[in-house]
Amino acid sequence: MAAALEAGSDFTDRPWEDPSAKPFIEFQGVAKSFDDVQAVKGVDLAVYKGELFSLLGGSGCGKTTLLRMLAGFEEPTEGRILVDGEDMAGIPPYRRPCNMMFQSYALFPHLTVEQNIAFGLKQDGVPKAEIADRVGQVLSLVELEAQRKRKPHQLSGGQRQRVALARAIVKRPKVLLLDEPLGALDKRLREQAQFELMKLQDETGVTMVVVTHDQEEAMVLSTRIAVMHEGLIQQIGTPSDIYEFPANRFVADFLGNITLIEGTVTAVDGDVVTLETPEWGRPVQVSDNRAGHRPGDRAFVAVRPEKITISQKGVTPNSIEVGPVEVGPVEADASANRAAGVVEDLAYLGDVTLYRVRLESGLIVEVTRTNTIRGARRSVDWDSAVEVAFRPDNALLVAG
Amino acid sequence: MAGRRRPLTGGAGKGAVTAIPYAWLLLFFLAPFAIVFRISLSEPLIAQPPYSPLFGADGSYQGSFFNYDLVLTDEIYRLAFLGSLEVAASSTLFCLLIGFPMAYGIARADAKWRLVLLLLVVLPFWTSFLLRVYAWIGLLNDTGLINTVLQDIGLIADPIRMMQTQFSVQVGIVYTYLPFMILPLYATLERLDWSLVEAAQDLGCSATKAFWKITVPLSLPGIVAGSMLVFIPAMGEFVIPALLGGPDTLMAGRILWDEFFSNRDWTLASTIAIVLLALLVVPIVIFQAAQQRENR
Amino acid sequence: MKQAVVTAAALVLLPLAAQAEGTVNMYNWSDYIADDTIANFEQASGMKVNYDVFDSNEVLEAKLLAGGTGYDIVVPSGSFLERQIQAGVFQEIDKSKLSNYGNLSAEILAKVAAHDPGNKYAVPYAWGTTGIGYNAKLINERMADAPIGSWDMVFKPEVVSKFADCGVTILDAPSEVIEAALKYLGHDPDTDDKAAHDEAQALLESVRPHVRYFHSSQYINDLANGEVCLSVGWSGDVFIAQARAEEAEQGVEIDYYIPKEGTVLWFDLMAVPADAPNAAGAHALIDFMLQPQVAADITNYVWYANANEASWPLVDKDVFENPSIFPDEATLANLFPDKADSARLTRTRTRMWTKIKAGL
């Protein structure tokens, strides 16, 4: 995940921060109802040229409907969609400057790999020689030259995914739509394919809109992410924005593990907010008041597991395992929020170990520790009495 | 060794299971076929049974293919087979033209309606086939419902001649066999991944073009199966042309009836049956080949 | 012709009737017996009767030739019986067991002998003619001076063409219709002369365009409904159409005549299959049928003439005096039996018939 955050922050071109930049795709107050179900409830969204934009959310959040409206398979019941300044209302899918890669890949089973890829070009009446040429190019791009004469059912999952991608890009669309592009692949293939997609985007500069339910995929791929829930956009931002500064409790909870501590604001001093919270057991300080909370407000303190330290009671934090002691930032900070608890559960994940600590109030706090030393013996174990702590500037305050 | 379990699929168990269809075929297809074939090699006789024995008193073989010679060279039989072929082929085509939109409509209907619609398709089977064909007589007659209504509303002065024509036979066959076309078509269309059609549209096909380039080729197994299910029985159809057809409806089934009952020539009737079967084997082989190609 | 289907099944399945003592299995034409005949016999004899019906000679014959029908009495028509006797299907009638045999008309028995020499195998059940049924009103509208009473109605193209629009039908019975045509042309109906047959074929082909269909039972309903107006049919069937038309009260009136040029005189005859399980019971039932009152009741009910001379005084006056049912001597002299054809002649006539029907 570190790499993903790196990729996001490395992205220097940030047209969405430039007020003079013109969006390439625009959703203006778009809503869609099926019978009596409102799938999309008024979405405003701007995607800029060259972006790899993700629509992220659980099933039924409206992300796929949004994508299908962009592709032209559904018409919005309200609002309008613009692509390159042109209103898409009433324009059938085959006249839109978009191509879509379907979740099921939707490869034509009666056609070979080559025929599948050439299908779209044939419809456009591209000359035969050019078709052969372009098909050859994308086949080499997705490294499927050897399989060109095969039928889809003779391919592996990863190969099919690449055929679907090749078929969608061979027409050189202005917008490439991807519906769960990596969902059907196993983990190893998925990581490889993620980087291939990013490479493709770099090389072609095509604007991509990706629908996914996988937050990790969205984080790795995207320039920006729109998190959706119940037909509404909860937050739009770069992967690190969304991860580090979730706009609300839903977003915070949806992306990665997080501990939410409910409390009442008792004091606000500049950026520093103090809350009374029975869940934590003692007052908690948070250096985040973007929302402008005032004393008396109910709010949640959100802390990511990697931002919390864990130590055996009375032992130097983060030196739990035998071996050289890593000096964490917490011990130096007297203002850190601390609480005592018992390890209820732990999971060794290889790179990190995840601890679930139960505080006296019953609140479960999730903590991860990077396993920096090979073969280190674990001193914190099931039922160990521990102390957990986090710094005020590593926590966020989100509304309920 | 007591208590050793044998897997169900092994040994005698498996043999018994696979023997069932073979026994069925032997008993209800091959044995009757052999009898019919044996009769076709004899000459008609006024006797009980009314055909000559295959072996003479001295044990010499007396069968011959002279009936086949007659059936294959005589114009009447050729015309009857052609007549059947024509009726069966055009009925199949009409069933396809009517059945495809219906199957398509059902397959794309709301899941809660599909069962009801399918039920409506098979509902006619719950009444006697003969009764339904007789009902068509009541509709198509000169004094039948259609003519009476058209005359009453003043659209026509004299009744339109529909009964005992090629038209009424066609209507009867298409009506009777339509469900056999719809059901296999529905089965393939229902399984069809509609995202393929969307993909085709996404890649530049209009809805119509996507239908011809994707839906039709992918429903080919259903089209072939449905066509076989209509074509094969329509080829040998006897009851519908007998009830609804006119005297000039020359079909293999009627000729067979005439030879067997009117002419009491069991040998020639058997020969016609065998030739008809041989003619039907051709489309079945084509069907099989198509199926295998599909599976490959 | 739905029997095709039924027959197929019947030929495969062996008769299920268990041959209990005192059970008689009779296979007769449909609508061919009085309501109470069987019940009366059962009461009188203490036997049980399984009464089964068919409606085409062909179906009956297919069963008889396949063998093992399980029937004790069957009722084929003359020409069919003739061939079935040759095929060895029947056993001789033991006349010593038929106390009422003497009631039969010697004259009719003599005619029946054409099919069954010496009356050895069969006892006449009923007889009738092949003639013309017509809808008087529709015919009159189209041709006021129509030659009713003559084959000209059907065999003259210039006449029959006038009725094509109201519906002309002909029996799907090759032998009978061809023989009628031969007789109309002045030939011997039983001839196997090729020239005569060519002439008959030409005659039938000339009227073929005006014929709506060839069928042996459909016309009963169609005549009654006014769906067709002129049918070559069997006397009794036309009378059924007449009765149905009257019941329907739609203003349709059906009449029947025996063509003056001469036509087929046919007999339906009771015979006992060689493998009948209960031949004694069969004889008992036949003897019962020969009682004058029983025979008269049947005739009064089905409107077909019987051969039981002793019963004639008991037959209703309007039936007995109807010349279409009981023809007078002069007409009778002109009628001829439909003799069985040789296998070769049958094949010739069937093929000729197929061509005529199909309009080839």
Side-chain angles (χ1 to χ4, degrees):
Chain A
M1 192 160 290
L5 296 179
E6 214 63 51
S9 54
D10 274 359
F11 200 85
T12 47
D13 185 20
R14 292 171 161 251
W16 51 90
E17 287 175 352
D18 174 4
S20 69
K22 213 171 138 303
F24 192 63
I25 303 167
E26 265 184 291
F27 287 82
Q28 298 177 343
V30 171
K32 174 73 186 174
S33 303
F34 297 101
D35 297 330
D36 47 353
V37 182
Q38 220 182 349
V40 174
K41 299 175 182 165
V43 163
D44 291 294
L45 191 64
V47 178
Y48 295 86
K49 201 165 187 131
E51 267 202 274
L52 201 163
F53 193 94
S54 291
L55 296 167
L56 175 65
S59 61
C61 73
K63 59 187 193 299
T64 302
T65 307
L66 212 56
L67 192 76
R68 290 174 58 79
M69 284 193 283
L70 183 53
F73 299 130
E74 314 280 357
E75 281 292 322
T77 24
E78 272 174 54
R80 55 182 201 150
I81 300 170
L82 302 165
V83 176
D84 207 3
E86 192 189 348
D87 192 340
M88 289 286 117
I91 296 182
Y94 57 94
R95 292 224 190 88
R96 296 199 181 197
C98 315
N99 282 125
M100 180 147 159
M101 182 181 143
F102 288 79
Q103 182 175 8
S104 61
Y105 306 147
L107 299 180
F108 305 131
H110 57 307
L111 302 180
T112 62
V113 167
E114 212 169 26
Q115 290 167 331
N116 260 284
I117 297 173
F119 188 90
L121 297 175
K122 263 171 129 175
Q123 301 317 309
D124 291 357
V126 176
K128 265 204 174 129
E130 196 189 331
I131 293 183
D133 215 38
R134 280 167 70 173
V135 170
Q137 276 172 26
V138 292
L139 274 172
S140 84
L141 189 69
V142 297
E143 292 168 10
L144 282 172
E145 288 113 321
Q147 286 80 19
R148 64 196 307 159
K149 297 283 180 209
R150 296 218 184 139
K151 291 271 183 78
H153 68 269
Q154 296 165 313
L155 301 177
S156 72
Q159 288 171 333
R160 274 182 236 177
Q161 188 260 354
R162 292 194 332 256
V163 177
L165 187 62
R167 191 178 66 178
I169 59 172
V170 76
K171 291 193 72 179
R172 297 177 187 154
K174 290 182 186 169
V175 182
L176 185 58
L177 308 175
L178 303 112
D179 190 359
E180 304 277 4
L182 314 173
L185 303 181
D186 62 41
K187 195 169 157 51
R188 277 176 59 93
L189 273 173
R190 191 155 66 220
E191 281 176 4
Q192 190 196 341
Q194 279 169 359
F195 288 106
E196 275 170 6
L197 270 184
M198 286 191 292
K199 196 180 102 197
L200 177 77
Q201 213 258 349
D202 272 352
E203 283 172 8
T204 60
V206 64
T207 307
M208 295 193 194
V209 178
V210 177
V211 155
T212 180
H213 70 281
D214 183 333
Q215 41 113 352
E216 197 181 319
E217 188 175 305
M219 301 279 256
V220 175
L221 289 173
S222 317
T223 52
R224 285 190 304 154
I225 298 172
V227 182
M228 292 190 68
H229 181 56
E230 290 181 342
L232 287 170
I233 290 185
Q234 304 293 321
Q235 187 175 4
I236 302 175
T238 62
S240 60
D241 283 349
I242 290 198
Y243 187 80
E244 302 290 356
F245 302 103
N248 57 36
R249 198 184 154 193
F250 175 81
V251 177
D253 212 18
F254 190 79
L255 270 93
N257 293 345
I258 204 156
T259 301
L260 291 164
I261 308 157
E262 193 176 5
T264 313
V265 177
T266 52
V268 179
D269 177 12
D271 229 13
V272 180
V273 180
T274 309
L275 298 96
E276 193 65 56
T277 156
E279 282 188 339
W280 190 253
R282 53 175 103 164
V284 171
Q285 283 200 328
V286 182
S287 319
D288 168 32
N289 198 14
R290 294 166 299 162
H293 286 290
R294 281 193 251 169
D297 286 355
R298 302 289 293 172
F300 287 89
V301 177
V303 210
R304 295 280 179 202
E306 71 277 11
K307 308 267 190 316
I308 306 180
T309 58
I310 183 167
S311 58
Q312 234 175 329
K313 261 212 166 136
V315 178
T316 316
N318 286 13
S319 60
I320 295 156
E321 280 92 24
V322 175
V325 174
E326 257 186 84
V327 178
V330 176
E331 56 176 320
D333 193 340
S335 69
N337 300 297
R338 295 166 197 281
V342 175
V343 175
E344 192 179 71
D345 209 350
L346 63 81
Y348 175 73
L349 302 174
D351 52 347
V352 296
T353 303
L354 174 72
Y355 298 89
R356 291 165 59 83
V357 177
R358 179 184 289 276
L359 302 189
E360 275 156 26
S361 66
L363 179 76
I364 301 289
V365 179
E366 290 191 341
V367 185
T368 52
R369 256 193 49 75
T370 312
N371 297 321
T372 45
I373 297 152
R374 188 170 55 170
R377 193 173 56 80
R378 198 162 47 219
S379 57
V380 172
D381 221 321
W382 277 276
D383 301 326
S384 299
V386 294
E387 187 180 73
V388 291
F390 63 91
R391 277 171 26 179
D393 55 353
N394 270 341
L396 290 172
L397 214 50
V398 295
Chain B
M1 293 300 277
R4 268 271 307 268
R5 273 244 200 98
R6 239 200 344 219
L8 194 69
T9 49
K14 188 179 181 185
V17 168
T18 49
I20 294 172
Y22 286 111
W24 178 273
L25 269 180
L26 194 75
L27 204 61
F28 294 109
F29 177 73
L30 280 179
F33 176 82
I35 294 169
V36 171
F37 183 68
R38 177 252 167 279
I39 295 175
S40 75
L41 299 176
S42 293
E43 283 181 57
L45 218 63
I46 295 184
Q48 184 187 32
Y51 46 84
S52 62
L54 211 49
F55 296 97
D58 54 352
S60 62
Y61 177 70
Q62 312 233 304
S64 88
F65 283 93
F66 88 104
N67 281 316
Y68 289 88
D69 206 35
L70 184 66
V71 167
L72 295 176
T73 52
D74 193 288
E75 197 199 11
I76 285 194
Y77 303 111
R78 200 164 48 80
L79 287 172
F81 284 124
L82 280 178
S84 279
L85 195 71
E86 193 190 314
V87 170
S90 57
S91 302
T92 307
L93 187 70
F94 283 121
C95 277
L96 187 60
L97 290 179
I98 300 168
F100 200 102
M102 286 178 76
Y104 189 88
I106 298 171
R108 306 245 29 194
D110 227 40
K112 64 182 173 208
W113 285 110
R114 268 185 229 159
L115 197 70
V116 178
L117 291 170
L118 275 181
L119 211 65
L120 289 176
V121 169
V122 294
L123 204 62
F125 287 125
W126 295 0
T127 53
S128 150
F129 156 71
L130 277 174
L131 212 61
R132 287 181 282 133
V133 175
Y134 276 118
W136 275 106
I137 298 178
L139 288 174
L140 299 175
N141 258 344
D142 282 5
T143 55
L145 190 68
I146 295 173
N147 274 317
T148 322
V149 169
L150 288 180
Q151 279 173 309
D152 284 354
I153 60 175
L155 264 176
I156 51 169
D158 294 315
I160 304 167
R161 188 97 272 285
M162 289 183 286
M163 265 306 290
Q164 285 105 26
T165 62
Q166 201 74 9
F167 171 76
S168 53
V169 175
Q170 200 84 72
V171 166
I173 292 182
V174 169
Y175 163 78
T176 306
Y177 291 109
L178 192 58
F180 295 103
M181 180 62 88
I182 293 178
L183 294 178
L185 274 177
Y186 167 77
T188 43
L189 285 172
E190 199 251 353
R191 272 183 299 149
L192 193 121
D193 180 2
W194 296 108
S195 69
L196 294 176
V197 178
E198 288 186 342
Q201 291 187 32
D202 186 69
L203 291 168
C205 285
S206 62
T208 336
K209 223 169 158 192
F211 175 79
W212 288 110
K213 297 213 120 185
I214 304 300
T215 313
V216 170
L218 288 179
S219 48
L220 214 55
I223 294 174
V224 174
S227 299
M228 290 297 122
L229 286 178
V230 175
F231 183 83
I232 291 170
M235 263 306 271
E237 185 54 61
F238 162 73
V239 177
I240 296 169
L243 289 175
L244 302 178
D248 47 1
T249 315
L250 195 58
M251 287 180 71
R254 288 186 94 175
I255 289 270
L256 202 152
W257 160 275
D258 282 345
E259 291 299 346
F260 188 83
F261 288 102
S262 303
N263 207 5
R264 62 193 66 76
D265 190 339
W266 291 23
T267 68
L268 202 55
S270 301
T271 307
I272 295 171
I274 298 279
V275 172
L276 191 60
L277 189 73
L279 284 179
L280 290 177
V281 164
V282 176
I284 292 170
V285 167
I286 294 172
F287 177 50
Q288 284 273 329
Q291 285 262 299
Q292 262 162 21
R293 203 169 41 236
E294 181 61 26
N295 292 339
R296 221 183 316 120
Chain C
M1 283 216 183
K2 63 181 178 247
Q3 310 89 302
V5 183
V6 180
T7 308
L11 287 172
V12 174
L13 299 170
L14 293 168
L16 299 169
Q19 297 315 316
E21 266 299 310
T23 299
V24 184
N25 296 293
M26 180 166 184
Y27 198 37
N28 196 0
W29 293 81
S30 51
D31 292 323
Y32 215 40
I33 197 162
D35 273 345
D36 54 357
T37 311
I38 293 300
N40 290 344
F41 171 72
E42 287 180 332
Q43 211 170 15
S45 68
M47 285 189 229
K48 196 188 162 326
V49 177
N50 287 325
Y51 187 80
D52 215 352
V53 298
F54 59 91
D55 64 0
S56 92
N57 266 311
E58 288 82 1
V59 169
L60 169 63
E61 182 167 274
K63 283 194 181 190
L64 288 172
L65 293 181
T69 58
Y71 292 116
D72 300 305
I73 304 178
V74 294
V75 191
S77 302
S79 62
F80 284 83
L81 174 102
E82 201 178 327
R83 222 170 1 245
Q84 287 151 10
I85 291 172
Q86 276 185 59
V89 166
F90 299 122
Q91 54 179 280
E92 283 190 35
I93 299 286
D94 184 353
K95 287 172 192 154
S96 68
K97 286 183 182 161
L98 303 178
S99 58
N100 296 312
Y101 195 79
N103 293 338
L104 291 166
S105 148
E107 196 180 343
I108 292 174
L109 280 176
K111 284 188 187 288
V112 169
H115 298 299
D116 173 20
N119 299 110
K120 278 202 270 189
Y121 291 96
V123 177
Y125 182 83
W127 56 275
T129 49
T130 302
I132 292 174
Y134 63 101
N135 182 320
K137 181 167 157 281
L138 293 178
I139 295 294
N140 197 42
E141 276 170 14
R142 283 163 180 77
M143 196 178 183
D145 57 346
I148 287 169
S150 162
W151 275 119
D152 288 348
M153 285 288 281
V154 178
F155 288 153
K156 266 214 162 86
E158 62 270 29
V159 177
V160 73
S161 62
K162 294 203 164 67
F163 312 126
D165 71 308
C166 64
V168 178
T169 79
I170 292 182
L171 286 171
D172 191 8
S175 177
E176 287 181 43
V177 179
I178 291 169
E179 283 173 20
L182 286 167
K183 177 84 176 168
Y184 174 75
L185 291 168
H187 298 291
D188 171 11
D190 289 325
T191 185
D192 57 0
D193 178 54
K194 180 156 189 319
H197 276 92
D198 285 349
E199 214 181 316
Q201 183 171 353
L203 172 73
L204 289 166
E205 277 170 354
S206 70
V207 301
R208 161 70 189 81
H210 315 297
V211 177
R212 186 172 292 176
Y213 62 75
F214 295 79
H215 201 285
S216 301
S217 58
Q218 177 83 36
Y219 69 95
I220 305 174
N221 269 330
D222 286 350
L223 264 183
N225 297 336
E227 191 67 42
V228 301
C229 62
L230 185 65
S231 293
V232 175
W234 289 308
S235 48
D237 283 349
V238 176
F239 294 129
I240 291 174
Q242 187 178 49
R244 284 190 193 162
E246 262 167 44
E247 278 166 30
E249 292 176 1
Q250 296 290 317
V252 176
E253 276 182 44
I254 303 302
D255 286 313
Y256 176 84
Y257 68 86
I258 300 172
K260 62 174 190 273
E261 294 88 348
T263 186
V264 171
L265 170 70
W266 50 257
F267 303 93
D268 287 334
L269 306 150
M270 292 184 279
V272 182
D275 56 2
N278 188 0
H283 281 80
L285 181 51
I286 292 171
D287 196 37
F288 177 77
M289 300 275 196
L290 290 175
Q291 290 178 23
Q293 190 59 53
V294 174
D297 284 349
I298 295 173
T299 297
N300 287 334
Y301 190 82
V302 302
W303 288 25
Y304 277 107
N306 67 46
N308 197 314
E309 204 164 357
S311 80
W312 293 348
L314 304 170
V315 172
D316 291 347
K317 237 187 164 52
D318 51 340
V319 174
F320 191 67
E321 286 174 6
N322 185 336
S324 298
I325 300 174
F326 285 91
D328 53 47
E329 286 301 321
T331 315
L332 207 54
N334 228 356
L335 300 179
F336 54 89
D338 168 27
K339 284 281 293 166
D341 307 328
S342 68
R344 202 179 59 77
L345 188 58
T346 302
R347 187 170 272 193
T348 309
R349 285 181 169 179
T350 309
R351 292 169 49 68
M352 176 177 147
W353 189 245
T354 305
K355 283 188 175 159
I356 293 164
K357 277 200 295 180
L360 291 174

